[in-house]
PDB file of all heavy atoms in Angstrom:
ATOM      1  N   ALA A  16     -39.176 -17.511  16.495  1.00  0.00           N
ATOM      2  CA  ALA A  16     -38.732 -18.438  17.480  1.00  0.00           C
ATOM      3  C   ALA A  16     -39.920 -19.162  18.148  1.00  0.00           C
ATOM      4  O   ALA A  16     -40.895 -18.563  18.514  1.00  0.00           O
ATOM      5  CB  ALA A  16     -37.973 -17.710  18.594  1.00  0.00           C
ATOM      6  N   ASP A  18     -39.495 -22.076  20.643  1.00  0.00           N
ATOM      7  CA  ASP A  18     -38.870 -23.097  21.538  1.00  0.00           C
ATOM      8  C   ASP A  18     -39.351 -22.901  22.924  1.00  0.00           C
ATOM      9  O   ASP A  18     -38.809 -23.464  23.887  1.00  0.00           O
ATOM     10  CB  ASP A  18     -37.333 -22.953  21.482  1.00  0.00           C
ATOM     11  CG  ASP A  18     -36.855 -21.629  21.913  1.00  0.00           C
ATOM     12  OD1 ASP A  18     -37.590 -20.636  21.844  1.00  0.00           O
ATOM     13  OD2 ASP A  18     -35.691 -21.523  22.418  1.00  0.00           O
ATOM     14  N   HIS A  19     -40.454 -22.149  23.049  1.00  0.00           N
ATOM     15  CA  HIS A  19     -40.932 -21.757  24.399  1.00  0.00           C
ATOM     16  C   HIS A  19     -41.551 -22.822  25.192  1.00  0.00           C
ATOM     17  O   HIS A  19     -41.577 -22.778  26.432  1.00  0.00           O
ATOM     18  CB  HIS A  19     -41.895 -20.578  24.259  1.00  0.00           C
ATOM     19  CG  HIS A  19     -41.393 -19.465  23.469  1.00  0.00           C
ATOM     20  ND1 HIS A  19     -41.049 -19.508  22.168  1.00  0.00           N
ATOM     21  CD2 HIS A  19     -41.105 -18.144  23.853  1.00  0.00           C
ATOM     22  CE1 HIS A  19     -40.617 -18.344  21.731  1.00  0.00           C
ATOM     23  NE2 HIS A  19     -40.626 -17.505  22.757  1.00  0.00           N
ATOM     24  N   GLU A  22     -38.817 -24.261  27.213  1.00  0.00           N
ATOM     25  CA  GLU A  22     -38.115 -23.204  27.937  1.00  0.00           C
ATOM     26  C   GLU A  22     -38.994 -22.585  29.055  1.00  0.00           C
ATOM     27  O   GLU A  22     -38.524 -22.363  30.152  1.00  0.00           O
ATOM     28  CB  GLU A  22     -37.655 -22.072  26.951  1.00  0.00           C
ATOM     29  CG  GLU A  22     -36.873 -20.964  27.597  1.00  0.00           C
ATOM     30  CD  GLU A  22     -35.446 -20.904  27.108  1.00  0.00           C
ATOM     31  OE1 GLU A  22     -35.107 -21.631  26.220  1.00  0.00           O
ATOM     32  OE2 GLU A  22     -34.747 -20.088  27.583  1.00  0.00           O
ATOM     33  N   HIS A  23     -40.257 -22.375  28.713  1.00  0.00           N
ATOM     34  CA  HIS A  23     -41.142 -21.747  29.748  1.00  0.00           C
ATOM     35  C   HIS A  23     -42.228 -22.591  30.226  1.00  0.00           C
ATOM     36  O   HIS A  23     -42.977 -22.284  31.139  1.00  0.00           O
ATOM     37  CB  HIS A  23     -41.752 -20.440  29.107  1.00  0.00           C
ATOM     38  CG  HIS A  23     -40.759 -19.378  28.755  1.00  0.00           C
ATOM     39  ND1 HIS A  23     -40.994 -18.394  27.846  1.00  0.00           N
ATOM     40  CD2 HIS A  23     -39.499 -19.126  29.212  1.00  0.00           C
ATOM     41  CE1 HIS A  23     -39.990 -17.617  27.699  1.00  0.00           C
ATOM     42  NE2 HIS A  23     -39.049 -18.068  28.537  1.00  0.00           N
ATOM     43  N   TRP A 138     -27.516 -17.413  21.265  1.00  0.00           N
ATOM     44  CA  TRP A 138     -28.402 -16.642  22.133  1.00  0.00           C
ATOM     45  C   TRP A 138     -27.471 -16.237  23.275  1.00  0.00           C
ATOM     46  O   TRP A 138     -27.044 -17.113  24.041  1.00  0.00           O
ATOM     47  CB  TRP A 138     -29.512 -17.493  22.754  1.00  0.00           C
ATOM     48  CG  TRP A 138     -30.700 -17.850  21.996  1.00  0.00           C
ATOM     49  CD1 TRP A 138     -31.995 -17.622  22.484  1.00  0.00           C
ATOM     50  CD2 TRP A 138     -30.924 -18.443  20.722  1.00  0.00           C
ATOM     51  NE1 TRP A 138     -32.932 -18.051  21.542  1.00  0.00           N
ATOM     52  CE2 TRP A 138     -32.331 -18.530  20.456  1.00  0.00           C
ATOM     53  CE3 TRP A 138     -30.035 -18.909  19.758  1.00  0.00           C
ATOM     54  CZ2 TRP A 138     -32.770 -19.086  19.284  1.00  0.00           C
ATOM     55  CZ3 TRP A 138     -30.499 -19.436  18.571  1.00  0.00           C
ATOM     56  CH2 TRP A 138     -31.876 -19.565  18.359  1.00  0.00           C
ATOM     57  N   TYR A 140     -27.064 -14.428  26.546  1.00  0.00           N
ATOM     58  CA  TYR A 140     -27.804 -13.832  27.571  1.00  0.00           C
ATOM     59  C   TYR A 140     -27.038 -13.827  28.860  1.00  0.00           C
ATOM     60  O   TYR A 140     -26.629 -14.911  29.325  1.00  0.00           O
ATOM     61  CB  TYR A 140     -29.138 -14.561  27.806  1.00  0.00           C
ATOM     62  CG  TYR A 140     -30.132 -14.514  26.663  1.00  0.00           C
ATOM     63  CD1 TYR A 140     -31.198 -15.505  26.653  1.00  0.00           C
ATOM     64  CD2 TYR A 140     -30.084 -13.601  25.670  1.00  0.00           C
ATOM     65  CE1 TYR A 140     -32.109 -15.454  25.598  1.00  0.00           C
ATOM     66  CE2 TYR A 140     -31.035 -13.575  24.653  1.00  0.00           C
ATOM     67  CZ  TYR A 140     -32.030 -14.509  24.629  1.00  0.00           C
ATOM     68  OH  TYR A 140     -32.971 -14.500  23.578  1.00  0.00           O
ATOM     69  N   ARG A 142     -26.793 -13.874  32.637  1.00  0.00           N
ATOM     70  CA  ARG A 142     -27.811 -14.237  33.605  1.00  0.00           C
ATOM     71  C   ARG A 142     -27.181 -15.058  34.804  1.00  0.00           C
ATOM     72  O   ARG A 142     -26.230 -15.718  34.575  1.00  0.00           O
ATOM     73  CB  ARG A 142     -28.896 -15.098  32.938  1.00  0.00           C
ATOM     74  CG  ARG A 142     -30.249 -14.973  33.552  1.00  0.00           C
ATOM     75  CD  ARG A 142     -31.316 -15.574  32.703  1.00  0.00           C
ATOM     76  NE  ARG A 142     -31.669 -14.606  31.664  1.00  0.00           N
ATOM     77  CZ  ARG A 142     -32.657 -14.918  30.752  1.00  0.00           C
ATOM     78  NH1 ARG A 142     -33.249 -16.083  30.749  1.00  0.00           N
ATOM     79  NH2 ARG A 142     -33.004 -14.025  29.860  1.00  0.00           N
ATOM     80  N   LYS A 171     -27.814 -13.295  19.183  1.00  0.00           N
ATOM     81  CA  LYS A 171     -29.147 -12.795  19.563  1.00  0.00           C
ATOM     82  C   LYS A 171     -29.074 -12.146  20.908  1.00  0.00           C
ATOM     83  O   LYS A 171     -28.616 -12.859  21.853  1.00  0.00           O
ATOM     84  CB  LYS A 171     -30.132 -13.964  19.526  1.00  0.00           C
ATOM     85  CG  LYS A 171     -31.506 -13.605  19.806  1.00  0.00           C
ATOM     86  CD  LYS A 171     -32.409 -14.875  19.641  1.00  0.00           C
ATOM     87  CE  LYS A 171     -33.799 -14.583  20.180  1.00  0.00           C
ATOM     88  NZ  LYS A 171     -34.669 -15.712  20.165  1.00  0.00           N
ATOM     89  N   LYS A 173     -30.733  -9.324  24.021  1.00  0.00           N
ATOM     90  CA  LYS A 173     -31.866  -8.628  24.562  1.00  0.00           C
ATOM     91  C   LYS A 173     -31.771  -7.166  24.245  1.00  0.00           C
ATOM     92  O   LYS A 173     -30.687  -6.636  23.981  1.00  0.00           O
ATOM     93  CB  LYS A 173     -31.943  -8.750  26.094  1.00  0.00           C
ATOM     94  CG  LYS A 173     -32.021 -10.227  26.550  1.00  0.00           C
ATOM     95  CD  LYS A 173     -33.456 -10.655  26.741  1.00  0.00           C
ATOM     96  CE  LYS A 173     -33.531 -12.123  27.149  1.00  0.00           C
ATOM     97  NZ  LYS A 173     -34.827 -12.708  27.026  1.00  0.00           N
ATOM     98  N   GLY A 197     -37.112 -10.762  21.288  1.00  0.00           N
ATOM     99  CA  GLY A 197     -38.333 -10.099  21.506  1.00  0.00           C
ATOM    100  C   GLY A 197     -38.748  -9.766  22.932  1.00  0.00           C
ATOM    101  O   GLY A 197     -38.922  -8.665  23.341  1.00  0.00           O
ATOM    102  N   GLY A 198     -38.793 -10.828  23.744  1.00  0.00           N
ATOM    103  CA  GLY A 198     -39.210 -10.694  25.136  1.00  0.00           C
ATOM    104  C   GLY A 198     -40.758 -10.697  25.250  1.00  0.00           C
ATOM    105  O   GLY A 198     -41.426 -11.124  24.248  1.00  0.00           O
ATOM    106  N   ALA A 222     -35.267 -11.865  16.095  1.00  0.00           N
ATOM    107  CA  ALA A 222     -35.635 -13.316  16.332  1.00  0.00           C
ATOM    108  C   ALA A 222     -36.638 -13.257  17.467  1.00  0.00           C
ATOM    109  O   ALA A 222     -36.343 -13.181  18.628  1.00  0.00           O
ATOM    110  CB  ALA A 222     -34.420 -14.071  16.682  1.00  0.00           C
ATOM    111  N   VAL A 223     -37.881 -13.288  17.035  1.00  0.00           N
ATOM    112  CA  VAL A 223     -39.012 -13.009  17.966  1.00  0.00           C
ATOM    113  C   VAL A 223     -40.021 -14.163  18.042  1.00  0.00           C
ATOM    114  O   VAL A 223     -40.263 -14.871  17.060  1.00  0.00           O
ATOM    115  CB  VAL A 223     -39.809 -11.846  17.456  1.00  0.00           C
ATOM    116  CG1 VAL A 223     -40.662 -11.202  18.487  1.00  0.00           C
ATOM    117  CG2 VAL A 223     -38.898 -10.767  16.823  1.00  0.00           C
ATOM    118  N   GLY A 224     -40.498 -14.373  19.257  1.00  0.00           N
ATOM    119  CA  GLY A 224     -41.457 -15.502  19.486  1.00  0.00           C
ATOM    120  C   GLY A 224     -42.798 -14.971  19.957  1.00  0.00           C
ATOM    121  O   GLY A 224     -43.734 -14.716  19.147  1.00  0.00           O
ATOM    122  N   ARG A 225     -42.858 -14.673  21.258  1.00  0.00           N
ATOM    123  CA  ARG A 225     -44.143 -14.298  21.832  1.00  0.00           C
ATOM    124  C   ARG A 225     -44.797 -13.088  21.142  1.00  0.00           C
ATOM    125  O   ARG A 225     -46.025 -13.044  21.002  1.00  0.00           O
ATOM    126  CB  ARG A 225     -44.004 -13.998  23.336  1.00  0.00           C
ATOM    127  CG  ARG A 225     -43.786 -15.231  24.133  1.00  0.00           C
ATOM    128  CD  ARG A 225     -43.193 -14.957  25.545  1.00  0.00           C
ATOM    129  NE  ARG A 225     -41.808 -14.572  25.451  1.00  0.00           N
ATOM    130  CZ  ARG A 225     -41.000 -14.294  26.466  1.00  0.00           C
ATOM    131  NH1 ARG A 225     -41.539 -14.341  27.674  1.00  0.00           N
ATOM    132  NH2 ARG A 225     -39.719 -14.012  26.353  1.00  0.00           N
TER     133      ARG A 225
HETATM  134  P1  FBP B 326     -39.329 -14.207  22.733  1.00  0.00           P
HETATM  135  O1  FBP B 326     -39.340 -13.223  21.560  1.00  0.00           O
HETATM  136  O2  FBP B 326     -40.666 -14.768  22.997  1.00  0.00           O
HETATM  137  O3  FBP B 326     -38.690 -13.631  23.907  1.00  0.00           O
HETATM  138  O4  FBP B 326     -38.457 -15.438  22.186  1.00  0.00           O
HETATM  139  C1  FBP B 326     -37.138 -15.298  22.046  1.00  0.00           C
HETATM  140  C2  FBP B 326     -36.386 -16.307  22.947  1.00  0.00           C
HETATM  141  O5  FBP B 326     -35.001 -16.121  22.796  1.00  0.00           O
HETATM  142  C3  FBP B 326     -36.739 -17.767  22.701  1.00  0.00           C
HETATM  143  O6  FBP B 326     -36.001 -18.330  21.740  1.00  0.00           O
HETATM  144  C4  FBP B 326     -36.626 -18.287  24.100  1.00  0.00           C
HETATM  145  O7  FBP B 326     -37.469 -19.380  24.329  1.00  0.00           O
HETATM  146  C5  FBP B 326     -37.033 -17.136  24.936  1.00  0.00           C
HETATM  147  O8  FBP B 326     -36.775 -15.977  24.280  1.00  0.00           O
HETATM  148  C6  FBP B 326     -36.333 -17.175  26.221  1.00  0.00           C
HETATM  149  O9  FBP B 326     -36.783 -16.077  26.961  1.00  0.00           O
HETATM  150  P2  FBP B 326     -36.254 -15.809  28.460  1.00  0.00           P
HETATM  151  O10 FBP B 326     -34.754 -16.061  28.343  1.00  0.00           O
HETATM  152  O11 FBP B 326     -36.572 -14.419  28.713  1.00  0.00           O
HETATM  153  O12 FBP B 326     -36.895 -16.792  29.321  1.00  0.00           O
END
Side-chain angles (χ1 to χ4, degrees):
D18 59 336
H19 306 63
E22 182 115 2
H23 298 159
W138 276 234
Y140 297 161
R142 208 166 280 182
K171 182 175 169 185
K173 301 268 176 192
V223 197
R225 287 163 285 182

